[in-house]
Amino acid sequence: MPTHDQLIATSGLPRHEARALLEHASGRRREWLIGHGDEEAGEALAARFATLALRRRQGEPLAYLVGWREFHGRRFELEPGVLIPRADTEVAVRWVCATAPEGGSVLDLGTGSAAIAVTVALERPDLSVLATDLSPVAARVAARNAGLLGAARVEVRTGNWFAPLRPDERFDLIISNPPYLAADDPHLGTGDLRFEPRTALTDEADGLRALHVLATGAAAHLRCAGWLGLEHGWTQGAAVRALLAAAGFVAIRTLHDDEHRERLSVGRLPSQTAAERQE
Ligand SMILES: C[S@@+](CC[C@H](N)C(=O)[O-])C[C@H]1O[C@@H](n2cnc3c(N)ncnc32)[C@H](O)[C@@H]1O
């Protein structure tokens, strides 16, 4: 019977991945497995580990196999059907935390695992945060993460973009990381994306359809001088800035991710509309 260390060494996976799968299969903490590396694993554990390692070698995302992914230093539970949060999205979190006014309200549209909504709620306890998603699976996982991570005050609703909101409901800031890949983007057939929900990745059009819906619909749910931030692909910055300008936003700019790629375009509603200024 192989030892814990031998299971890891012969898995055909990078060590950190094999170790994460063994932690998951055994229910043991990393420190325990290191301390007991030369002990035999036992038949049942070896079989569970072999199945997980095979699935990983066949390409299934590690995050789905172990059921979580770390984002901004916290574990977000995941299941197939919910997008795996990416480090690129930290840009959105930093911008929301730096921009939302004291005691303000934030809306996260297409919240997925609630990576943005829960992180913002925990980093800025003064804010009220509402999160929505079209997918009932995502909404359920988002609510679970809010509870598990101590952000139970994050409210989660299910529905199509602005549909779950009351007509008069307004926020100081709206953030969204919508599906922005074009339907024929070759990345959809590669890596983790093959296993992630297609509705989280592509708008089934040119990649700008959801961004357009959000840019044009946001003003009706923003307070005066409220902010909108839209995460997008690194080649879409100019197009999203144009969408924001056409929707009447000002102070438009694009923030870069850690790889220096255009990642988040933001704009603010004017303090007064042109009509109000003329009155
Ligand atoms: C790129 S994922 C982002 C998830 C999460 N905000 C994050 O950054 O990890 C896009 C999310 O938008 C949701 N979504 C797609 N179409 C939607 C729609 N019409 N209305 C509301 N949410 C939608 C998907 O279910 C998915 O959770």
Side-chain angles (χ1 to χ4, degrees):
M1 187 54 56
T3 66
H4 297 116
D5 281 349
Q6 284 167 341
L7 283 180
I8 289 172
T10 60
S11 66
L13 296 170
R15 280 190 80 77
H16 73 280
E17 292 195 1
R19 198 174 285 290
L21 291 180
L22 190 58
E23 277 178 57
H24 179 68
S26 64
R28 299 283 192 182
R29 295 176 67 86
R30 180 187 165 85
E31 299 74 27
W32 189 95
L33 286 168
I34 291 172
H36 297 75
D38 55 0
E39 287 179 15
E40 286 190 3
E43 209 168 312
L45 173 57
R48 275 199 305 279
F49 177 80
T51 304
L52 287 168
L54 174 64
R55 288 169 63 188
R56 178 64 193 130
R57 286 196 302 275
Q58 290 173 339
E60 273 188 66
L62 186 66
Y64 288 155
L65 293 173
V66 298
W68 59 271
R69 168 59 51 90
E70 191 170 300
F71 179 79
H72 208 82
R74 299 182 181 93
R75 270 191 188 196
F76 283 79
E77 289 205 353
L78 290 173
E79 51 187 78
V82 182
L83 187 99
I84 302 166
R86 309 292 205 270
D88 294 338
T89 300
E90 301 255 359
V91 181
V93 168
R94 287 197 291 269
W95 175 74
V96 175
C97 289
T99 307
E102 181 70 24
S105 55
V106 170
L107 169 63
D108 175 23
L109 289 168
T111 195
S113 62
I116 298 175
V118 165
T119 307
V120 165
L122 293 173
E123 301 292 321
R124 287 281 312 269
D126 58 297
L127 299 174
S128 66
V129 182
L130 173 64
T132 73
D133 205 289
L134 183 66
S135 154
V137 179
R140 175 168 50 73
V141 170
R144 191 161 79 222
N145 280 324
L148 287 170
L149 291 167
R153 73 176 199 287
V154 173
E155 187 189 348
V156 182
R157 297 184 201 163
T158 308
N160 186 20
W161 298 133
F162 301 99
L165 308 178
R166 293 187 304 276
D168 62 341
E169 210 167 2
R170 289 178 183 263
F171 301 83
D172 294 299
L173 186 151
I174 298 177
I175 183 73
S176 184
N177 174 19
Y180 54 69
L181 295 182
D184 59 358
D185 191 311
H187 292 103
L188 288 167
T190 63
D192 286 0
L193 275 62
R194 286 170 297 161
F195 295 86
E196 291 183 284
R198 207 176 147 89
T199 47
L201 299 169
T202 173
D203 58 4
E204 301 296 355
D206 61 354
L208 290 170
R209 188 157 73 184
L211 288 158
H212 180 264
V213 169
L214 294 167
T216 52
H221 293 285
L222 280 171
R223 296 211 169 96
C224 198
W227 286 94
L228 172 63
L230 296 173
E231 185 169 331
H232 52 72
W234 59 277
T235 60
Q236 292 172 316
V240 177
R241 287 191 294 277
L243 287 176
L244 289 169
F249 287 88
V250 297
I252 296 165
R253 67 192 173 105
T254 298
L255 288 76
H256 294 74
D257 62 24
D258 293 344
E259 309 290 324
H260 308 290
R261 295 170 304 201
E262 291 196 327
R263 182 57 62 194
L264 180 79
S265 291
V266 304
R268 179 173 57 72
L269 283 184
S271 309
Q272 287 179 306
T273 63
E276 283 166 345
R277 278 196 296 275
Q278 280 167 6
E279 276 173 13

